[in-house]
Amino acid sequence: MGGTRPGCRSPECVEVAAAPGTVHVRDSKDKEGAQLAFPKGPWADFVAYTSKG
């Protein structure tokens, strides 16, 4: 998995990786920990909603 920005110093960093039909998310500091997987449509809705501020 990849997708973090280099130099992320915040304690709230996550990694996001797109796969066919799915987006995977995990804590960037706990690479062996749990991952979440979202269908691309709901993930796009989430990103659009959170981007509104």
Side-chain angles (χ1 to χ4, degrees):
M1 180 178 283
T4 55
R5 289 185 171 175
C8 182
R9 291 174 180 34
S10 170
E12 292 86 24
C13 293
V14 296
E15 293 179 327
V16 178
T22 309
V23 176
H24 300 270
V25 182
R26 72 176 177 189
D27 183 338
S28 63
K29 292 168 294 313
D30 186 8
K31 297 188 185 303
E32 300 303 317
Q35 292 184 24
L36 300 174
F38 300 95
K40 285 192 174 184
W43 178 257
D45 293 342
F46 169 75
V47 170
Y49 178 80
T50 58
S51 297
K52 292 179 184 177

